[in-house]
Each structure stands twice: as structure tokens, then as C-alpha cells.
Amino acid sequence: MKNENIISKGFYRFPQVKDFISVKNHMFMRCDDKVCLALRFSNDTEYTFDFFSFDIVELNAEGKPIGKVFVEYKDISFAPGSVFASDKALAVSNNCVDFRIEFREAFSGTYKYIVSRGKASVYYNKKKVDDAEKSENTQKKNTANVRVKQRRIGKPFLSAFIIFLLVVIMAALTARYLYNDFQKEQGIEEDFWLSALPQDIVNYEEAGVIYAEI
């Protein structure tokens, strides 16, 4: 950054939220005929923030509000005791010479911080937990469906063997049916051999055993 582009710089002079995210220093600069503001924040808590949002209240030379700019930082890792500064400056009004920061909310995992009347209150973010569990369950369900599909494709020989076995059984049943029809056409009964036996069979019963003498 060239020095001639810097309009002013210094430390934040307004009251800060205790045990929360604080504003350290700032820099006003000119970017393509626009006034921009660069900010540095400090994490004064024991938690890592992955999101925070705030409003920049623009002040003119008389200290009066002339506008408001909403800012949010997503998908960050703002560790405890560290300093955070975006690589992009924020465009403000050309008449803005000073500012106030009004924090809105911040997220640390499943916990949500809301700033109101200069204090930060923490809440359990149940919606974020439910969304994470829903996403995890959906991923498990999709994975299970893929596994089932792969399992069906992975055994082609079993399916081929079952089809072959059914064909053999159908062929055997068809052959038996045709054979029975052939016997009926030839006048052959299943018990034809009984009629060929001698009719003068003498039955003897001895010691509970039945004998047949031909």
C-alpha cells in the first residue's frame, strides 16, 4: 500500500464490548476515488469464532451519523487471543472521517453470541446442530444406497446360476408332461406290471409275518 493512498489511521476510540471481539486499529485510505476503511479485530474470549457480523456507523467531521454499512465475515477461524484483519478494505461514504462499530452476532461452533446494549449474550444454537445432524444422516443414507447398489452388481454369477437352474427345472417338467401324454396314447398304465403277476398267490401268516408264495 502506497503512503499517498492513506488518509488517516489510528486506534479505535469508542467503548468496547467486554470479553468479546474488540476493534484494535483502523486505516482510512483512498481506493479508486473512493474512501475505504481497513479494520483489525482482536479475539478477547477463550473461543474460536467462525463467523461474526457488525455495522459500521459512518460519522462525518462533526461526529454525526451519515450512513451505515453492514459487514459479515463467514467461514473464518478467529482463534482466542489472535488478531483478525480482512485482506479487503470496506468502502464507505466519501464524507466519512470516523466510525463506530456495532456488533450484531458471532458464532463459535454450536454457540451463538448476540450483542445488545453493549453486552454479549451467549445462546445454544440448536438450529445449527439440527442442520448438522440432518446433513450427516442424509450422507449416511446416500452412502447406504450406494452400497446396496454395488452389492447387487457385484454378484452376476449367482443371478446367472439361478436363471440356469430355473430353465433346467422347466425343461424337466415339460419332458415329464410329454412322456405322460405319450404313455396314455400308447395305452400304458402306471400299474401295468401288476396285471402280469400270477393270480394264484397263497398268503401265509406265521409269527406275525405275512408271506406271499408264488
Side-chain angles (χ1 to χ4, degrees), residues 82-100:
S82 66
V83 175
F84 173 81
S86 174
D87 56 352
K88 295 181 179 180
L90 305 168
V92 294
S93 301
N94 289 336
N95 295 329
C96 177
V97 298
D98 203 356
F99 66 96
R100 288 199 320 267

Side-chain angles (χ1 to χ4, degrees), residues 3 23 104 143:
N3 291 332
V23 186
R104 290 196 179 190
T143 303

Side-chain angles (χ1 to χ4, degrees), residues 4-5 20 90 139:
E4 56 264 26
N5 291 333
F20 189 60
L90 305 168
Q139 184 177 4

